[in-house]
Amino acid sequence: MKPERSYIVCATPRSGSTLVCHALGETGVAGRPEEYYEALRHSGRPRRPEEYFLGVEDQSIRDHLGERGVGAEQNPRSPLWSRAAYDRYLEWTFEAGTTPNGVFGAKLMWGYFGDFVSLVRNIPAYRDVPLAELLPTVFPNLTFVRVVRANKVRQAVSLWKAVQTATWREDQASSGAISVEDDGAPPYRTFIEEHRPQLRFHYRAIDHLLAQLLIEEAAWDAFFEHAGIKPILILYENFAGDYETSTLNLLERLDLTPPDDFNLEPRMKKQSDSINDDWTKRYSELRLGTEFDLVPVPVDK
């Protein structure tokens, strides 16, 4: 059964979309926005770290990702996911992402948009629907929410760090140490985690990811322009700066009313740290240093 209303959070990796979706989900009236459509058509799974660097010839990037990937296990694919019968999976997402008031929420990254369109068009009812009309046809009474991060260098640095660690979010409530017995992990997992190579600054990796992020943001621009859509625009830096007020404002723009006992407290742990700060500074100085004398030498008169 389809929901009565829906919205999609449109974003790029490390743009702050997880924080926005977490805030909306915590209200209890704005669906359960998760990345249900985070799957490549050929695998039914999210991108692996090395897939962020397809076409890049720098072997040192792949070598480092390969070292860090020892013992890593790919997330299992949903048993409902099928290229040939994607309608069943779509129906499941409606059930999983809809709150009792009939509101459905989901998040969609541009990196999965093309694959999602192809999968939806495998469903006969949507096969011939033009792109501009496709998502509003699939999702009833659809609103688009776009999350953008202003500082793209920090976004690219955050993505490079996340790709190396395969860690995309951490809730403060679960950030304490968990023993091997508690999480059921095999004994070798702890040894592997403790002996992984250190996180490594890599200028060309960050530069590639920055270029890809800019391309994906431009692709969202093109899609909204083509479809004649004016999404609700959320700037991550502003949203994070006043979390509760920003959440209430977004609910209002979605024409949703928070519960009377609404009390929002962010449980997500901020993942930016001194490493992010250091790498952002190093990347910026290296990039600018190729074009400018950062500290001009005084000329004697």
Side-chain angles (χ1 to χ4, degrees), residues 30-78:
R32 304 181 187 94
E34 299 288 346
E35 206 164 345
Y36 302 111
Y37 312 118
E38 182 190 31
L40 298 172
R41 188 175 186 275
H42 73 271
S43 65
R45 294 181 174 89
R47 282 184 288 186
R48 296 181 66 86
E50 61 270 19
E51 290 181 296
Y52 283 87
F53 297 93
L54 293 176
V56 177
E57 297 180 359
D58 192 334
Q59 188 59 41
S60 64
I61 298 175
R62 285 189 175 77
D63 288 345
H64 187 53
L65 293 176
E67 291 171 0
R68 295 198 62 81
V70 174
E73 298 174 2
Q74 196 169 11
N75 292 333
R77 189 171 69 185
S78 166

Side-chain angles (χ1 to χ4, degrees), residues 6-205:
S6 55
Y7 67 89
I8 294 178
V9 175
C10 305
T12 56
R14 313 309 292 172
S15 62
S17 58
T18 300
L19 180 68
V20 174
C21 288
H22 173 82
L24 290 170
E26 286 289 286
T27 67
V29 297
R32 304 181 187 94
E34 299 288 346
E35 206 164 345
Y36 302 111
Y37 312 118
E38 182 190 31
L40 298 172
R41 188 175 186 275
H42 73 271
S43 65
R45 294 181 174 89
R47 282 184 288 186
R48 296 181 66 86
E50 61 270 19
E51 290 181 296
Y52 283 87
F53 297 93
L54 293 176
V56 177
E57 297 180 359
D58 192 334
Q59 188 59 41
S60 64
I61 298 175
R62 285 189 175 77
D63 288 345
H64 187 53
L65 293 176
E67 291 171 0
R68 295 198 62 81
V70 174
E73 298 174 2
Q74 196 169 11
N75 292 333
R77 189 171 69 185
S78 166
L80 291 175
W81 193 94
S82 168
R83 285 188 293 271
Y86 194 68
D87 53 338
R88 292 185 304 168
Y89 180 75
L90 199 60
E91 290 173 3
W92 174 82
T93 66
F94 288 148
E95 294 177 7
T98 303
T99 39
N101 61 342
V103 176
F104 170 81
K107 176 168 67 170
L108 182 60
M109 298 291 186
W110 182 264
Y112 299 104
F113 183 85
D115 295 79
F116 178 64
V117 167
S118 296
L119 290 164
V120 168
R121 282 184 168 160
N122 279 343
I123 303 172
Y126 305 128
R127 186 163 296 154
D128 300 320
V129 179
L131 179 62
E133 303 169 16
L134 184 60
L135 269 62
T137 302
V138 174
F139 301 99
N141 298 314
L142 178 62
T143 299
F144 290 89
V145 177
R146 185 176 182 186
V147 179
V148 176
R149 187 169 183 169
N151 194 323
K152 293 295 189 291
V153 173
R154 281 194 173 273
Q155 185 177 349
V157 165
S158 179
L159 181 54
W160 172 234
K161 184 180 174 184
V163 166
Q164 290 186 74
T165 60
T167 301
W168 302 96
R169 63 178 288 176
E170 184 176 356
D171 291 351
Q172 289 178 345
S174 60
S175 60
I178 301 176
S179 69
V180 174
E181 291 78 10
D182 287 340
D183 69 1
Y188 67 81
R189 181 78 57 80
T190 301
F191 177 85
I192 289 173
E193 292 298 331
E194 292 176 351
H195 292 80
R196 286 187 187 276
Q198 293 295 311
L199 290 172
R200 182 189 302 170
F201 173 85
H202 199 300
Y203 175 84
R204 290 184 297 277

